Amino acid sequence: MNKVVVTGIGAITPLGPDFSSLMTAVFNAHSGVRALDTSWIHQLHSPLAAPILFPVEDHFTKLRRLMLDRVAQLGLIAVKEAIQQSGLNTLADEGLHGGVFWGTGMGGAHTLEQAYMDSFSHPESRPRPTTIVMFMTNSTTGQIGIEHKIKGPSTTYSSACSSSAVAIGEAFEAIRSGKINYAIAGGSEALLTLGVMKAWESLQTLARPDATRPETSCRPFAKDRSGFILGEGAASLILESEEHAKQRGATILCEIVGYGNTTDASHITQPDAGGQARAMRLALEQAQMTYQDVDYINAHGTGTQVGDLSETRAIHEVFNDYAKQVPVSATKALHGHLMGATGAVEMAIAIGSLMNKTIPGTAHLFNPDPECDLDYVSEGARTLAKLDVVMSNSFGFGGNNAVLVAKRYSK
Amino acid sequence: MNSLPVIQKMLVEEFGLTEDQVKPESQLDELGVDSLATVEFMFMLEDRFKLKMSGEPVPIKTVGDIAREVDAAMEKQGITLTDK
């Protein structure tokens, strides 16, 4: 089996246009949550979202944008940064031994919604000829392959909130087994549209706006938590076999050592602590580690009553007497819930924590919940004397649980 | 090719091409205008000139080909540029 290393990270999130700005923001507890400034926002009970407010379209020519929904634009921006950092030249092997593993929950939501709106409001109108290629779920995956000339496997993963964690995990497995030498992995999501936001609102999982401090409305693990805030963005990792990275003299950022993937098989939205615990155990087993080896957990921590309690119980189940000692934080309080992209964003944050030897806190945890009794790092970012192994949890509607474990690289 | 100037202007505005790039003999694929983008552009032209293209597959390879196709459709449907 090959060792799998990370050589590049890219991100575009509500907290910044790149990976370093994301890390700075989570360390300083800057919130990207705000009232969405659109003409239709009055149709929603809450105007809050975590949008990307810096230029996205400017990265592409008008001609290129013809084929790119916002979800693909965000994905391509994150991938470009990751590739630049890694120095990976995909032309060296004509892209034959590389793969693209991408996650998204909804694909081109903006394009699809526009086509529906046009069709219903103007029956004589016709959708743009590029509608299909912009909204299909594998649109971003295909566009990444085209942009970077990668000709090995390209697969799109859609398992709601765990989509991009699964994408990273499956890329890890493909390199580990020797199927490919390198991969672009990650995920993107752009679903801040009226129809999608209303649908989420109906599901009653979105956070109640705090009247005086709206940016603090998402409060993972707090007693007064009321749900999450929808966000948009993308993150990408460049994964390589250790041998491939060394041969080309790449700087290795960390090693991915474990991936657990399980299904609750119990309910379409209700999480199951047992399924989550099994995913954590599988990831540790593959990493050949025990729970005491884990120095930090980036929790799924959406801020829903049910979800945070379930994750807390799952961590207790896996970490036993060590559960209250391992620091756990949920960064969704700041960057929002990026759905299909969230697993990749949070894995990037976990790796960034490893690199900086500092972990972000769980923001807005003003009122502790006695039932959520772990160390959630509520005081803010914390520098750890030992930070060598990190775990990132992602749990999706549909019952899929994906857990990734990374460790500090040593030769 | 009566419609050529308008088509050239639209190619510049809609696709971000330069005036130098959109000569009648310019090959569309060399400009990055692939078959999908060409169909997209034909839809824009139909909206702009309020005409209906034949829908039959026509070999459109150059900027001039587009203008010839539009001219033919306009003549057939009795539409002139001054109508717009």
Side-chain angles (χ1 to χ4, degrees), chain A residues 9-11 17-24 81 85 348-349 351-352 355:
Chain A
I9 306 176
D18 52 27
F19 175 54
S20 67
S21 56
L22 168 67
M23 291 311 300
T24 303
E81 184 191 359
Q85 185 185 22
I349 291 171
I351 295 171
M355 291 160 65

Side-chain angles (χ1 to χ4, degrees), chain A residues 61-63 66-67 126-131 133, chain B residues 13-15 31-32 34 36-37 40 43 46-47:
Chain A
T61 65
K62 279 186 171 180
L63 196 51
L66 272 184
M67 314 285 170
R126 55 197 173 176
R128 290 176 50 194
T130 48
T131 300
V133 297
Chain B
E13 286 173 2
E14 301 292 342
F15 290 174
L31 299 179
D34 65 9
L36 261 177
E40 183 95 22
F43 272 40
E46 287 191 349
D47 292 342

Side-chain angles (χ1 to χ4, degrees), chain B residues 7-44:
Chain B
I7 286 167
Q8 289 172 315
K9 188 165 178 275
M10 283 178 69
L11 281 169
V12 170
E13 286 173 2
E14 301 292 342
F15 290 174
L17 301 171
T18 65
E19 288 181 10
D20 287 343
Q21 286 178 301
V22 293
K23 292 174 182 149
E25 65 278 16
S26 301
Q27 295 285 325
L28 293 170
D29 56 357
E30 288 175 9
L31 299 179
V33 181
D34 65 9
S35 56
L36 261 177
T38 303
V39 177
E40 183 95 22
F41 191 63
M42 297 311 268
F43 272 40
M44 291 176 191

Side-chain angles (χ1 to χ4, degrees), chain A residues 61-103:
Chain A
T61 65
K62 279 186 171 180
L63 196 51
R64 189 87 178 90
R65 290 205 299 265
L66 272 184
M67 314 285 170
L68 301 177
D69 183 90
R70 186 170 174 84
V71 72
Q73 294 179 22
L74 293 171
L76 287 167
I77 292 169
V79 168
K80 186 179 179 185
E81 184 191 359
I83 287 272
Q84 278 175 348
Q85 185 185 22
S86 78
L88 178 67
N89 176 13
T90 57
L91 298 178
D93 70 340
E94 297 180 342
L96 295 171
H97 302 100
V100 182
F101 297 74
W102 205 252

